[in-house]
């Protein structure tokens, strides 16, 4: 669906930009990359579960859940910035 494609593109693009910026300013080191290696299986599992369960979720519900997640992320970012 268009929504899933747009979300995937957004998160891929924003993640890449974030990693590049963090590397350039020195916040991302090889130690951080080593620390994330144990998380890769969980990420893969989440991807597989998401791909297999998306067909069972109504698109309208998925849209609302996505908007709620974006709202919560935005509010958390504002709170952290205060």
């Amino acid at each position: 669906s268009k929504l899933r494609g747009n979300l995937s593109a957004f998160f891929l693009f924003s993640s890449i930009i974030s990693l590049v910026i963090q590397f350039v300013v020195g916040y991302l080191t090889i130690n951080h990359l080593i620390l994330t290696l144990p998380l890769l299986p969980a990420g893969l599992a989440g991807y597989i579960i998401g791909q297999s369960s998306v067909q069972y979720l109504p698109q309208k519900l998925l849209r609302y859940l996505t908007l709620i997640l974006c709202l919560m992320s935005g509010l958390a970012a504002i709170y952290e910035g205060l």
Side-chain angles (χ1 to χ4, degrees):
S1 76
K2 282 177 136 180
L3 177 63
R4 282 192 338 177
N6 288 339
L7 283 173
S8 295
F10 169 76
F11 286 117
L12 176 66
F13 180 74
S14 64
S15 295
I16 290 171
I17 294 298
S18 176
L19 288 174
V20 168
I21 291 171
Q22 289 182 28
F23 180 75
V24 168
V25 298
Y27 288 145
L28 181 65
T29 65
I30 192 70
N31 291 334
H32 292 108
L33 297 177
I34 292 170
L35 286 172
T36 61
L37 289 178
L39 300 174
L40 291 178
L44 180 61
Y47 174 77
I48 292 170
I49 291 169
Q51 289 296 319
S52 63
S53 65
V54 73
Q55 61 194 1
Y56 302 110
L57 293 173
Q59 187 172 358
K60 192 171 186 176
L61 174 63
L62 182 62
R63 181 178 171 90
Y64 285 131
L65 292 174
T66 303
L67 290 173
I68 289 169
L69 178 63
C70 289
L71 174 66
M72 290 171 44
S73 297
L75 290 174
I78 291 170
Y79 178 77
E80 289 293 323
L82 295 178

